[in-house]
Amino acid sequence: MKIDNKPWFWIPLLNFASGLPYAIIISVSVIMYKNLGISNEDIGVYTSLLYLPWVIKPLWSPLIELIGTKRKWFLLMQLIISIAFLLVGFTIPTNGFFIMTLSIFWVAAFASASNDIASDGFYLLVLPEDKQSFFIGIRSTFYRLSMLAGNGLVVLFAGYLEHKFGDNTKAWSYTMISVGLLMAFITAYNFIFTPKNEINTVANKEAKPSQDFGTIFISFFKKKQIGLILTFILIFRLGESQLLKMLSPFLLDPKASGGMGLDTEAVGIIYGTCGVAALTIGGILGGIAISKQGLTKWMFPMFLAMHLPILGFILLAFFHPTSIYYIYAVVIVEQFGYGFGFTAFMMYLIHVAEGESKTAHYALATGFMALGMMLPGMLSGFIQKYLGYQNFFIWVFIATIPGLILSRFLTFPKDFGKKSEEV
């Protein structure tokens, strides 16, 4: 059996290895530092800075395009991430752990962003184009599953150890060591099961020996419709970026403050069971739909499916139903819609990266996407405090409209993403 022809063997865990470090570095670190006695002010400033490597990763993406193979890059970066998490675990019990662990997280963040570049490029080069539309849904689904595993299972494990040991330092030390060992296992798995041939990469290097950093970088900004493309990428997730930051606080805040009054366990159960199932099904169906009929037919319906579920949170904020099943229903619809609709957005980014230097151009596109997520997310807490949850969700819904309008003016091949009949 040739693994090269069995993408189910390597795509899921390769993308899981992209999402898990991001979740640990950006989200779980906040909870960890809070439980270890770090002030909210320090947590807000320093953990936000950890996001920067994902925003600026396009600056060094051409180096990954020109030096070595994508497979060597992502295996090395995953190994560095594994060692970094182990070091964080061993460093937590020491004096001055805050600065030391932040420094290690900073190294892990750059390695994780580089891993994303190499993994994305590997996917674009190794997998035939007529299969990319189907597996883009699988990729986004396993990426989100890894985020849910980090924000859910890892935090639950740490909470269990806190109660078991009665010592937050020991609990989080063991937790981070366990995460490091898990990443080491994933790295070993990817070493064994990812395809070892990058024929397209070799061909590109032989055909374009004169390419350099500046040429690759500048060529991205010469693409047709580049002004419209960048504007669309920056504002498409304007609503979602704010929703993701304030959704958990809304579910956890007491009803007197406008929230739903759930406890952490209830939120974990909602997103860890029905939410995971809905997300998975939505992502798979999104990939199937595009592979059968192309992106042109499905882009706008998928974008609507991604944004319309925000109406459910508006209703929750206004009516505060007492039955938790209403919350389950809204979350299931929202997660399914996200999995289904985000597939179209990621498929469009693949189109943007088409041509020479796919890896670097895809990194540029996702870097602008990260910037479009970071800046509104930083302001979301202030906006929510000013508007209250009810008006905040209305604002979030309105913020999705400009991206929907711009999507109608994007041009790409009519059957882009459609699977070839003979395959």
Side-chain angles (χ1 to χ4, degrees), residues 62 66 211-222 361:
L66 296 170
Q211 284 187 326
D212 57 29
F213 187 102
T215 302
I216 292 173
F217 191 84
I218 294 172
S219 64
F220 177 80
F221 296 95
K222 294 182 178 180
H361 288 181

mmCIF file of all heavy atoms in Angstrom, residues 62 66 211-222 361:
data_model
loop_
_atom_site.group_PDB
_atom_site.id
_atom_site.type_symbol
_atom_site.label_atom_id
_atom_site.label_comp_id
_atom_site.label_asym_id
_atom_site.label_seq_id
_atom_site.Cartn_x
_atom_site.Cartn_y
_atom_site.Cartn_z
ATOM 1 N N PRO A 62 9.012 32.818 2.203
ATOM 2 C CA PRO A 62 9.816 32.490 1.017
ATOM 3 C C PRO A 62 11.045 31.647 1.335
ATOM 4 O O PRO A 62 11.510 30.894 0.479
ATOM 5 C CB PRO A 62 10.213 33.879 0.485
ATOM 6 C CG PRO A 62 9.118 34.782 0.944
ATOM 7 C CD PRO A 62 8.766 34.270 2.309
ATOM 8 N N LEU A 66 12.223 28.183 -0.546
ATOM 9 C CA LEU A 66 13.482 28.057 -1.283
ATOM 10 C C LEU A 66 14.469 27.076 -0.667
ATOM 11 O O LEU A 66 15.344 26.564 -1.357
ATOM 12 C CB LEU A 66 14.153 29.440 -1.390
ATOM 13 C CG LEU A 66 13.392 30.501 -2.192
ATOM 14 C CD1 LEU A 66 14.038 31.863 -2.010
ATOM 15 C CD2 LEU A 66 13.348 30.123 -3.661
ATOM 16 N N GLN A 211 14.542 32.314 -8.769
ATOM 17 C CA GLN A 211 13.650 32.887 -7.772
ATOM 18 C C GLN A 211 14.429 33.273 -6.513
ATOM 19 O O GLN A 211 15.341 32.572 -6.091
ATOM 20 C CB GLN A 211 12.553 31.891 -7.401
ATOM 21 C CG GLN A 211 11.454 31.770 -8.445
ATOM 22 C CD GLN A 211 10.329 30.891 -7.927
ATOM 23 O OE1 GLN A 211 10.549 29.951 -7.190
ATOM 24 N NE2 GLN A 211 9.118 31.218 -8.305
ATOM 25 N N ASP A 212 14.067 34.382 -5.903
ATOM 26 C CA ASP A 212 14.645 34.769 -4.629
ATOM 27 C C ASP A 212 13.541 35.305 -3.736
ATOM 28 O O ASP A 212 12.377 35.365 -4.127
ATOM 29 C CB ASP A 212 15.765 35.793 -4.809
ATOM 30 C CG ASP A 212 15.288 37.049 -5.561
ATOM 31 O OD1 ASP A 212 14.087 37.393 -5.459
ATOM 32 O OD2 ASP A 212 16.108 37.670 -6.247
ATOM 33 N N PHE A 213 13.918 35.666 -2.525
ATOM 34 C CA PHE A 213 12.947 36.115 -1.515
ATOM 35 C C PHE A 213 12.072 37.255 -2.041
ATOM 36 O O PHE A 213 10.850 37.201 -1.994
ATOM 37 C CB PHE A 213 13.723 36.558 -0.270
ATOM 38 C CG PHE A 213 12.852 36.896 0.911
ATOM 39 C CD1 PHE A 213 12.704 36.004 1.941
ATOM 40 C CD2 PHE A 213 12.195 38.117 0.984
ATOM 41 C CE1 PHE A 213 11.908 36.315 3.039
ATOM 42 C CE2 PHE A 213 11.399 38.436 2.058
ATOM 43 C CZ PHE A 213 11.253 37.534 3.089
ATOM 44 N N GLY A 214 12.720 38.294 -2.547
ATOM 45 C CA GLY A 214 11.969 39.465 -2.994
ATOM 46 C C GLY A 214 11.047 39.159 -4.157
ATOM 47 O O GLY A 214 9.906 39.638 -4.205
ATOM 48 N N THR A 215 11.510 38.336 -5.108
ATOM 49 C CA THR A 215 10.693 37.993 -6.273
ATOM 50 C C THR A 215 9.422 37.278 -5.857
ATOM 51 O O THR A 215 8.321 37.587 -6.332
ATOM 52 C CB THR A 215 11.502 37.117 -7.244
ATOM 53 O OG1 THR A 215 12.675 37.814 -7.644
ATOM 54 C CG2 THR A 215 10.674 36.765 -8.467
ATOM 55 N N ILE A 216 9.574 36.308 -4.962
ATOM 56 C CA ILE A 216 8.412 35.534 -4.498
ATOM 57 C C ILE A 216 7.435 36.437 -3.746
ATOM 58 O O ILE A 216 6.219 36.369 -3.947
ATOM 59 C CB ILE A 216 8.880 34.373 -3.592
ATOM 60 C CG1 ILE A 216 9.663 33.348 -4.422
ATOM 61 C CG2 ILE A 216 7.689 33.704 -2.914
ATOM 62 C CD1 ILE A 216 10.301 32.270 -3.591
ATOM 63 N N PHE A 217 7.972 37.309 -2.886
ATOM 64 C CA PHE A 217 7.119 38.182 -2.075
ATOM 65 C C PHE A 217 6.357 39.173 -2.950
ATOM 66 O O PHE A 217 5.138 39.327 -2.830
ATOM 67 C CB PHE A 217 7.983 38.922 -1.048
ATOM 68 C CG PHE A 217 7.206 39.644 0.009
ATOM 69 C CD1 PHE A 217 6.761 38.969 1.128
ATOM 70 C CD2 PHE A 217 6.924 41.000 -0.106
ATOM 71 C CE1 PHE A 217 6.052 39.628 2.119
ATOM 72 C CE2 PHE A 217 6.219 41.665 0.868
ATOM 73 C CZ PHE A 217 5.766 40.981 1.991
ATOM 74 N N ILE A 218 7.062 39.826 -3.857
ATOM 75 C CA ILE A 218 6.450 40.852 -4.700
ATOM 76 C C ILE A 218 5.441 40.252 -5.671
ATOM 77 O O ILE A 218 4.409 40.864 -5.973
ATOM 78 C CB ILE A 218 7.540 41.638 -5.459
ATOM 79 C CG1 ILE A 218 8.387 42.438 -4.467
ATOM 80 C CG2 ILE A 218 6.927 42.570 -6.500
ATOM 81 C CD1 ILE A 218 9.607 43.085 -5.082
ATOM 82 N N SER A 219 5.707 39.028 -6.150
ATOM 83 C CA SER A 219 4.808 38.416 -7.136
ATOM 84 C C SER A 219 3.402 38.212 -6.587
ATOM 85 O O SER A 219 2.430 38.228 -7.334
ATOM 86 C CB SER A 219 5.381 37.076 -7.603
ATOM 87 O OG SER A 219 5.447 36.146 -6.535
ATOM 88 N N PHE A 220 3.295 38.051 -5.253
ATOM 89 C CA PHE A 220 1.968 37.895 -4.656
ATOM 90 C C PHE A 220 1.113 39.132 -4.880
ATOM 91 O O PHE A 220 -0.084 39.041 -5.157
ATOM 92 C CB PHE A 220 2.101 37.614 -3.154
ATOM 93 C CG PHE A 220 0.783 37.504 -2.429
ATOM 94 C CD1 PHE A 220 0.044 36.335 -2.473
ATOM 95 C CD2 PHE A 220 0.280 38.575 -1.693
ATOM 96 C CE1 PHE A 220 -1.168 36.222 -1.811
ATOM 97 C CE2 PHE A 220 -0.926 38.478 -1.028
ATOM 98 C CZ PHE A 220 -1.655 37.294 -1.088
ATOM 99 N N PHE A 221 1.726 40.308 -4.772
ATOM 100 C CA PHE A 221 0.987 41.561 -4.874
ATOM 101 C C PHE A 221 0.760 41.996 -6.317
ATOM 102 O O PHE A 221 0.195 43.071 -6.564
ATOM 103 C CB PHE A 221 1.713 42.658 -4.091
ATOM 104 C CG PHE A 221 1.766 42.378 -2.613
ATOM 105 C CD1 PHE A 221 2.870 41.751 -2.053
ATOM 106 C CD2 PHE A 221 0.705 42.699 -1.795
ATOM 107 C CE1 PHE A 221 2.924 41.474 -0.696
ATOM 108 C CE2 PHE A 221 0.733 42.431 -0.441
ATOM 109 C CZ PHE A 221 1.841 41.815 0.117
ATOM 110 N N LYS A 222 1.176 41.164 -7.261
ATOM 111 C CA LYS A 222 0.899 41.421 -8.665
ATOM 112 C C LYS A 222 -0.252 40.571 -9.191
ATOM 113 O O LYS A 222 -0.576 40.621 -10.373
ATOM 114 C CB LYS A 222 2.154 41.161 -9.500
ATOM 115 C CG LYS A 222 3.294 42.129 -9.228
ATOM 116 C CD LYS A 222 4.486 41.846 -10.126
ATOM 117 C CE LYS A 222 5.603 42.847 -9.885
ATOM 118 N NZ LYS A 222 6.781 42.592 -10.757
ATOM 119 N N HIS A 361 2.858 32.053 -1.104
ATOM 120 C CA HIS A 361 1.656 32.850 -1.376
ATOM 121 C C HIS A 361 0.493 32.428 -0.481
ATOM 122 O O HIS A 361 -0.296 33.269 -0.051
ATOM 123 C CB HIS A 361 1.275 32.734 -2.845
ATOM 124 C CG HIS A 361 2.213 33.469 -3.755
ATOM 125 N ND1 HIS A 361 2.050 33.521 -5.119
ATOM 126 C CD2 HIS A 361 3.333 34.205 -3.478
ATOM 127 C CE1 HIS A 361 3.031 34.255 -5.655
ATOM 128 N NE2 HIS A 361 3.817 34.668 -4.667
#
